[in-house]
């Protein structure tokens, strides 16, 4: 009986496994150290450690960093690019911008494919799709044979204006298949049929260089799971917040470039909705980095252009996540000006923080939390024992002595700098857009998010914090909450007021036909297929466009124009209702519904948390404070606290600081209010009595 749903999220330090037992209505989690040299090893170790019977698994979903790491390290297979004569250097010229405009010595990193591996073929199609010059097949075949002689593994075919007519790219792919049958080929018309050549070419190049790497990883993992009893499809989370089967991943591997970080944002949206927060900030703090997402009016923000490295855009719909180098393993150091810094460098999984006793010689956030007693000495349910003496030694040698501080103040300063970095990042995604953080809740998760969440919220005047039941594996949970999803687009330019609604409808029907074919290929039943339309528009004379939702009724186009005015005002603080609006592009999300966990609320108790497992001195606000420590798995829903208190569990530790209150809700989330008034009208006497008894 297939009654288990399994999600695995590979992080920089730990690999998280989340198992939902549908028949028992129970979630269990586990963590294993990541294996950066071979990520699949950690996935299989996690399955073994969790004692998962793969024959009982109905769905196996996976968020992976394989594509991201490959783009960062540039460990690519032998790659080449074939393009129209005269357009060899499009991906090197780029758009002429720089990440740091004022640094004359800083330059954008080079293209993913070197100039000597980029080849030109005579052909030309105009903007309307008319053939001006036919593809020179003799030259195309000569180039293909040259690539074979060079031993090329993967090829990106990028012809100018192929978005309007793909016939030349299709023929080039056929010639390459004849001459290099073992090589993978990506064509820009299939990967991204859009007008701007730099965005289209670079996205296609990224897809090509990732192809053999991702395909090999997915095939090997799929085979291993099947060999051990799994009979379903391996689903991989992609950047747009949906999932793809392993077969589709082989065609569009670049969509995995933000796989892992999307999972956390989806889970944050789920928790916010569960707790009744339409506006929330997701704070996913892991071992290496912190990913910050924004939920406004119940919706995750999305972007259509993003990058792993500046200057190399990947133009696919993606959940908008801001990542900064602030994690449990982030290194504290003193810069050349004598100031204390935190990150972005990280101790990673190996050697890890000094307290792991694996050779780490620099202080990290984990070392500081351990010395301040916010973090206990047992990690991952006793799998790892942390050494406070080692943490103290590196903090004293590297930070306290050089700055003339005692070790307690130095450790506290390390944490404060990390919190300030995260607070600044939250300001970037909220205040910069005219949004007030005080109107939001903070969803704190990841292995270290619950340690820092309340302090970050206090710095931003965010009134409440929510910590999910299993914060350390919440990103893995996000993999269980998504559907199979394809994002399709088609160029369609013209004035909105004179556009023929029937022609627009016909184009959407074509996109829906392609979407349905893809879903059927992934074995999605027609009744489980859902299509969501979108349309990009802009004011006449504008360059950038804005995407809004599009309905299906006869008046949908007029309604979309009105919605465009409203969204433009929200995004840019002005609207021009009298200015003509142009249609730029049509979009379609093709969704294949997948089984999801059905969570059930628990009856809320009387507010008593029971006896703590210990009371230990914890450093808060410049002094050591006796603090009760509870085992979170033993706490009933309704349990209430007046801070300070610490809640331990297998995958994380939650800190409830002084001058705050908290309660365990019916979903077993911890809801923290940054006030001494108990959260959500929990009786003050119950919370106060339980804390006093513990002390």
């Amino acid at each position: 009986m297939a009654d288990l749903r399994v999600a695995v999220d590979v992080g920089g330090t730990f690999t998280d496994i989340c198992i939902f037992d549908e028949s028992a209505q129970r979630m269990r989690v586990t963590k294993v150290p990541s294996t950066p040299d071979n990520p699949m090893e950690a996935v299989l170790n996690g399955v073994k450690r969790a004692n998962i019977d793969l024959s009982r698994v109905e769905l196996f979903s996976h968020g992976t960093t394989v594509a991201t790491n490959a783009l960062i390290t540039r460990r690519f297979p032998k790659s080449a690019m074939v393009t129209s004569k005269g357009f060899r250097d499009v991906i090197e010229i780029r758009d002429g911008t720089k990440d740091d405009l004022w640094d004359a010595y800083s330059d954008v990193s080079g293209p993913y494919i070197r100039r000597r591996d980029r080849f030109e073929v005579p052909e030309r199609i105009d903007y309307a799709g008319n053939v001006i010059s036919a593809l020179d097949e003799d030259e195309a075949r000569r180039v293909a044979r040259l690539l074979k002689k060079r031993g090329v593994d993967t090829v990106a075919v990028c012809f100018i204006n192929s978005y309007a007519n793909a016939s030349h790219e299709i023929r080039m792919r056929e010639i390459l298949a004849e001459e290099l049958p073992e090589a993978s080929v990506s064509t820009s018309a299939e990967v991204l049929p859009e007008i701007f050549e730099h965005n289209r070419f670079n996205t296609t190049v990224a897809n090509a260089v990732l192809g053999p790497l991702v395909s090999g990883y997915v095939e090997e993992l799929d085979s291993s799971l099947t060999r051990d009893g799994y009979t379903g499809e391996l689903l991989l989370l992609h950047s747009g917040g949906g999932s793809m089967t392993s077969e589709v991943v082989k065609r569009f591997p670049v969509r995995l470039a933000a796989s892992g970080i999307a999972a956390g944002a989806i889970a944050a949206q789920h928790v916010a909705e569960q707790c009744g927060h339409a506006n929330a900030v997701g704070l996913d703090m892991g071992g290496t980095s912190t990913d910050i997402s924004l939920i406004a009016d119940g919706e995750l923000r999305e972007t259509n252009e993003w990058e792993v490295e500046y200057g190399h855009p990947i133009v696919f719909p993606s959940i908008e996540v801001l990542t900064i180098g602030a994690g449990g393993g982030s290194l504290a150091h003193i810069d050349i000006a004598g100031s204390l810094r935190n990150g972005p460098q990280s101790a990673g999984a190996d050697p890890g923080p000094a307290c792991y006793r694996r050779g780490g010689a620099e202080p990290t956030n984990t070392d500081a939390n351990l010395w301040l007693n916010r973090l206990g000495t047992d990690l991952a349910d006793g799998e790892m024992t942390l050494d406070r003496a080692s943490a103290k030694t590196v903090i004293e040698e590297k930070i306290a002595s050089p700055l003339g501080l005692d070790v307690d103040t130095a450790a506290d300063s390390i944490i404060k700098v990390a919190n300030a970095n995260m607070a600044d990042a939250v300001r970037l995604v909220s205040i910069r857009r005219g949004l007030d953080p005080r109107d939001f809740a903070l969803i704190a998760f990841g292995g270290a998010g619950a340690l820092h969440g309340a302090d970050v919220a206090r710095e931003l005047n965010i009134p409440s914090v929510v910590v999910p039941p299993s914060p350390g594996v919440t990103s893995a949970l996000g993999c269980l909450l998504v559907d199979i999803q394809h994002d399709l687009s088609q160029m369609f330019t013209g004035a909105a007021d004179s556009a023929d609604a029937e022609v627009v409808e016909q184009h959407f029907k074509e996109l829906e036909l392609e979407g349905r074919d893809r879903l059927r290929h992934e074995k999605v039943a027609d009744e489980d297929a859902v299509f969501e339309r979108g349309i990009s528009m802009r004011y006449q004379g504008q360059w950038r466009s804005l995407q809004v939702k599009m309905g299906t009724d006869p008046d949908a186009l007029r309604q979309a124009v009105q919605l465009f005015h409203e969204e433009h005002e929200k995004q840019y603080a002005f609207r021009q209702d009298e200015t003509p609006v142009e249609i730029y592009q049509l979009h379609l999300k093709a969704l294949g519904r997948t089984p999801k966990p059905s969570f059930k609320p628990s009856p809320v108790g009387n507010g008593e948390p029971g006896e703590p497992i210990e009371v230990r001195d914890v450093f808060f606000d410049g002094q050591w404070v006796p603090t009760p420590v509870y085992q979170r798995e033993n706490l009933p829903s309704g349990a209430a606290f007046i801070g300070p208190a610490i809640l331990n569990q297998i995958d994380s530790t939650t800190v409830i600081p002084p001058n705050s209150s908290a309660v365990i809700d019916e979903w077993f989330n911890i809801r923290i209010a940054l006030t001494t008034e108990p959260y959500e009208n929990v009786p003050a006497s119950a919370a106060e009595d339980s804390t006093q008894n513990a002390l």
Side-chain angles (χ1 to χ4, degrees):
M1 179 181 176
D3 56 356
L4 300 180
R5 298 193 183 111
V6 177
V8 179
D9 179 56
V10 177
T13 306
F14 285 101
T15 292
D16 305 327
I17 299 91
C18 180
I19 309 105
F20 184 77
D21 188 330
E22 186 68 38
S23 58
Q25 284 292 298
R26 186 170 64 92
M27 184 84 72
R28 59 190 179 94
V29 301
T30 191
K31 297 172 78 74
V32 295
S34 292
T35 51
D37 293 335
N38 182 8
M40 192 185 76
E41 183 181 338
V43 176
L44 299 178
N45 287 345
V47 170
K48 184 177 180 181
R49 166 79 192 281
N51 196 26
I52 299 171
D53 180 356
L54 287 171
S55 65
R56 289 183 56 198
V57 176
E58 178 184 12
L59 181 145
F60 194 105
S61 185
H62 179 27
T64 176
T65 55
V66 169
T68 314
N69 292 340
L71 292 176
I72 291 171
T73 61
R74 296 192 171 219
R75 294 176 181 172
F76 301 140
K78 196 166 184 59
S79 311
M81 175 183 176
V82 179
T83 188
S84 307
K85 186 175 179 62
F87 291 89
R88 181 185 185 187
D89 295 316
V90 164
I91 60 174
E92 195 138 19
I93 296 170
R94 301 179 299 98
D95 57 4
T97 63
K98 293 175 64 173
D99 191 20
D100 188 348
L101 180 64
W102 306 109
D103 188 347
Y105 298 98
S106 173
D107 206 353
V108 177
S109 58
Y112 294 138
I113 295 179
R114 297 170 299 181
R115 193 173 195 271
R116 69 184 188 186
D117 296 321
R118 305 197 295 264
F119 300 87
E120 297 179 344
V121 174
E123 70 86 36
R124 181 54 62 90
I125 289 174
D126 71 9
Y127 72 95
N130 302 310
V131 177
I132 305 301
S133 299
L135 174 69
D136 186 335
E137 294 202 10
D138 291 338
E139 181 65 13
R141 198 167 293 277
R142 186 193 70 80
V143 168
R145 288 171 177 165
L146 179 59
L147 297 182
K148 181 179 181 180
K149 187 182 296 185
R150 289 193 176 194
V152 168
D153 299 310
T154 181
V155 184
V157 180
C158 305
F159 289 162
I160 195 70
N161 294 332
S162 62
Y163 69 92
N165 181 344
S167 59
H168 287 178
E169 283 195 351
I170 292 171
R171 181 58 186 145
M172 186 71 225
R173 181 172 59 190
E174 291 170 350
I175 292 171
L176 288 167
E178 293 167 8
E179 300 292 342
L180 291 84
E182 301 301 318
S184 65
V185 180
S186 297
T187 64
S188 71
E190 181 183 29
V191 173
L192 189 73
E194 295 186 10
I195 188 169
F196 294 116
E197 61 270 16
H198 169 52
N199 290 348
R200 176 160 47 92
F201 285 15
N202 199 83
T203 303
T204 306
V205 164
N207 196 71
V209 298
L210 291 174
L213 296 170
V214 171
S215 294
Y217 172 81
V218 170
E219 284 178 3
E220 193 174 352
L221 178 59
D222 203 2
S223 297
S224 296
L225 295 174
T226 301
R227 186 171 57 249
D228 291 340
Y230 180 53
T231 58
E233 290 276 7
L234 170 63
L235 298 181
L236 292 104
L237 189 76
H238 63 65
S239 59
S243 60
M244 302 187 294
T245 62
S246 55
E247 286 302 313
V248 177
V249 166
K250 295 172 188 176
R251 291 173 58 196
F252 304 107
V254 71
R255 297 227 60 188
L256 297 186
S259 172
I261 61 177
I266 293 162
Q269 181 187 33
H270 166 75
V271 173
E273 181 182 1
Q274 203 175 58
C275 296
H277 294 295
N279 298 326
V281 174
L283 185 82
D284 180 3
M285 185 179 182
T288 306
S289 61
T290 295
D291 301 321
I292 296 166
S293 54
L294 187 79
I295 301 108
D297 297 325
E299 298 288 335
L300 278 164
R301 291 189 62 91
E302 291 189 1
T303 179
N304 286 326
E305 184 177 328
W306 51 283
E307 59 222 350
V308 174
E309 285 185 274
Y310 186 85
H312 306 290
I314 296 173
V315 187
F316 270 122
S318 174
I319 293 174
E320 191 174 58
V321 177
L322 175 62
T323 300
I324 63 170
S330 292
L331 300 177
H333 59 280
I334 299 172
D335 65 16
I336 58 174
S339 298
L340 177 61
R341 301 286 183 180
N342 194 301
Q345 301 86 358
S346 174
D350 186 15
C355 59
Y356 283 14
R357 292 184 296 185
R358 292 178 177 171
E362 301 292 329
T364 65
N365 291 327
T366 297
D367 294 308
N369 276 310
L370 179 64
W371 177 251
L372 298 177
N373 263 343
R374 297 183 176 201
L375 186 65
T377 54
D378 285 340
L379 199 64
D381 201 27
E383 280 292 303
M384 186 181 295
T385 300
L386 306 184
D387 182 29
R388 289 190 80 227
S390 297
K392 179 183 179 182
T393 298
V394 294
I395 294 170
E396 198 163 37
E397 289 180 356
K398 304 292 185 177
I399 305 297
S401 294
L403 294 178
L405 304 173
D406 61 77
V407 69
D408 299 342
T409 304
D412 192 43
S413 299
I414 291 171
I415 299 303
K416 286 179 177 177
V417 172
N419 292 338
N421 290 342
M422 288 184 279
D424 284 344
V426 173
R427 292 184 182 101
L428 283 177
V429 302
S430 57
I431 295 175
R432 186 176 65 176
R433 293 194 173 95
L435 302 172
D436 190 340
R438 293 173 295 183
D439 297 332
F440 286 69
L442 185 73
I443 314 298
F445 57 103
L451 273 166
H452 294 255
D455 288 336
V456 173
R458 181 159 280 157
E459 184 150 339
L460 292 161
N461 290 320
I462 292 176
S464 59
V465 180
V466 180
V467 180
S470 300
V473 296
T474 296
S475 288
L477 172 64
C479 296
L480 294 180
L481 301 172
V482 299
D483 296 308
I484 291 175
Q485 176 182 316
H486 296 280
D487 296 283
L488 310 175
S489 63
Q490 188 177 104
M491 296 303 301
F492 186 98
T493 55
D497 59 358
S498 60
D500 188 329
E502 291 185 4
V503 174
V504 174
E505 176 66 19
Q506 182 58 39
H507 282 281
F508 272 119
K509 291 293 186 184
E510 292 173 5
L511 288 174
E512 288 180 2
L513 183 61
E514 182 182 351
R516 193 174 294 280
D517 285 344
R518 289 195 187 185
L519 293 175
R520 284 174 177 168
H521 183 72
E522 294 182 296
K523 302 176 184 177
V524 174
D526 286 353
E527 58 268 24
D528 292 329
V530 178
F531 302 102
E532 297 178 358
R533 297 179 178 184
I535 185 167
S536 289
M537 294 185 281
R538 58 193 178 187
Y539 289 122
Q540 190 176 66
Q542 280 187 328
W543 173 48
R544 296 197 180 275
S545 58
L546 183 64
Q547 183 180 335
V548 297
K549 292 181 180 179
M550 175 81 170
T552 57
D553 59 80
D555 199 32
L557 187 55
R558 186 192 63 80
Q559 294 170 357
V561 171
Q562 183 60 34
L563 184 58
F564 166 76
H565 289 304
E566 295 170 3
E567 288 298 317
H568 197 281
E569 185 174 26
K570 287 181 183 178
Q571 290 273 0
Y572 305 110
F574 76 95
R575 57 190 290 170
Q576 296 175 327
D577 293 54
E578 304 306 316
T579 302
V581 174
E582 295 178 337
I583 301 173
Y584 172 69
Q585 198 172 32
L586 308 181
H587 306 271
L588 182 79
K589 279 188 180 181
L591 302 171
R593 301 298 186 193
T594 58
K596 298 178 184 64
S598 53
F599 301 103
K600 294 182 179 178
S602 172
V604 176
N606 61 6
E608 280 290 341
E611 291 297 316
I613 56 175
E614 66 169 316
V615 175
R616 67 171 181 245
D617 289 340
V618 181
F619 196 82
F620 289 111
D621 301 322
Q623 58 184 332
W624 292 92
V625 182
T627 303
V629 180
Y630 297 88
Q631 194 63 32
R632 184 173 178 182
E633 291 85 351
N634 300 332
L635 294 171
S637 59
F641 311 86
I642 296 293
I646 287 178
L647 279 58
N648 281 343
Q649 58 191 111
I650 180 176
D651 58 314
S652 188
T653 298
T654 301
V655 173
I656 303 167
N659 302 315
S660 64
S661 61
V663 67
I664 309 292
D665 71 10
E666 66 270 31
W667 306 103
F668 290 101
N669 299 303
I670 304 171
R671 302 204 198 187
I672 304 172
L674 299 179
T675 172
T676 53
E677 293 297 321
Y679 197 102
E680 295 220 336
N681 298 320
V682 173
S685 58
E688 289 168 354
D689 289 348
S690 63
T691 306
Q692 290 301 319
N693 290 339
L695 297 176

